[in-house]
Amino acid sequence: MPVDPRVSLLDFLRDGLGLSGTKKGCNQGACGACTVLVDGERVLACLALAVQFQGCSISTIEGLAQNGELHPLQRAFVEHDGLQCGYCTPGQICSAIGMAEELRRGVPSHVTEDLSATPIRLDHDELRERMSGNLCRCGAYNGIVDAISEIYADGRL
Ligand code: FES
Ligand code: FES
C-alpha cells in the first residue's frame, strides 16, 4: 500500500505496482477506462483511494488470462474487432465481467423490467445501459457489443 493515503487506486496500480494495463482517461470518473474488479465488483480506480482496499482482491486486465489462455471475453473482443486503439479496452472488459456478476446476482439497472429475476437476462437495452459508463473514443461500439453479447447475452452467464 502507498505511504501517502491520498494516492488513488489507479495511480497505485500504474505507478506503484507497474500494472499499466489499467488506463487513465479522464481521471475524474467519466470514461470508465480505469475500471478494475475489487472482490468481483467493478470500481473506477481513479475515484478510489488505494488505502480503502487493503486486504481486498483486485483484478486488473493483467490477471484475466489463465495458464496462457485469454479470458473468453478477451478472445471475443479480438474476434469481433471490439477495439481500435485499445485504450478503453481493459476498462471495457473488466466492466463487462463485473456487469455479468451483477446480472447473476439479480442487481437491477434503470431499464430492468422484471425486478424479481435472478439472474437478469442481458438483452439489447440492458447491455447498453449497464455499459454506458465505458466510453470508446474510437467508436468501436459495434464490435464491443458483439463481443459482450457472444459471451453473456441471452442467459449465457
Ligand atoms: S480514468 Fe477513471 S473514469 Fe476516466
Ligand atoms: S478502442 Fe480506442 S478508445 Fe476504444
Side-chain angles (χ1 to χ4, degrees):
M1 278 294 145
V3 176
D4 187 341
R6 297 169 299 178
V7 173
S8 72
L9 179 58
L10 178 59
D11 286 343
F12 181 60
L13 289 170
R14 289 180 57 84
D15 304 332
L17 300 181
L19 296 171
S20 57
T22 305
K23 300 298 186 241
K24 183 183 282 189
C26 63
N27 206 29
Q28 56 182 8
C31 73
C34 65
T35 308
V36 298
L37 297 165
V38 177
D39 292 334
E41 294 199 17
R42 47 187 174 167
V43 165
L44 295 175
C46 71
L47 292 186
L49 297 173
V51 292
Q52 291 173 256
F53 301 108
Q54 199 148 20
C56 295
S57 169
I58 299 175
S59 299
T60 66
I61 193 74
E62 287 94 341
L64 298 183
Q66 295 290 317
N67 303 319
E69 294 282 324
L70 291 178
H71 184 285
L73 187 58
Q74 289 178 299
R75 191 166 24 77
F77 264 69
V78 173
E79 289 170 358
H80 289 281
D81 283 334
L83 59 140
Q84 286 184 35
C85 76
Y87 200 82
C88 73
T89 313
Q92 300 276 3
I93 290 174
C94 287
S95 186
I97 291 171
M99 172 199 69
E101 191 51 40
E102 292 163 14
L103 292 164
R104 281 189 202 103
R105 295 203 320 266
V107 178
S109 78
H110 178 62
V111 300
T112 304
E113 289 185 6
D114 181 0
L115 298 180
S116 63
T118 305
I120 294 168
R121 199 172 141 266
L122 183 64
D123 61 18
H124 177 277
D125 290 345
E126 285 285 0
L127 195 159
R128 281 158 180 76
E129 169 65 18
R130 288 175 188 268
M131 291 300 296
S132 61
N134 289 83
L135 306 183
C136 174
R137 287 168 179 78
C138 297
Y141 290 114
N142 288 343
I144 292 169
V145 167
D146 287 349
I148 296 172
S149 297
E150 182 198 319
I151 304 302
Y152 296 123
D154 298 325
R156 288 192 292 274
L157 290 172

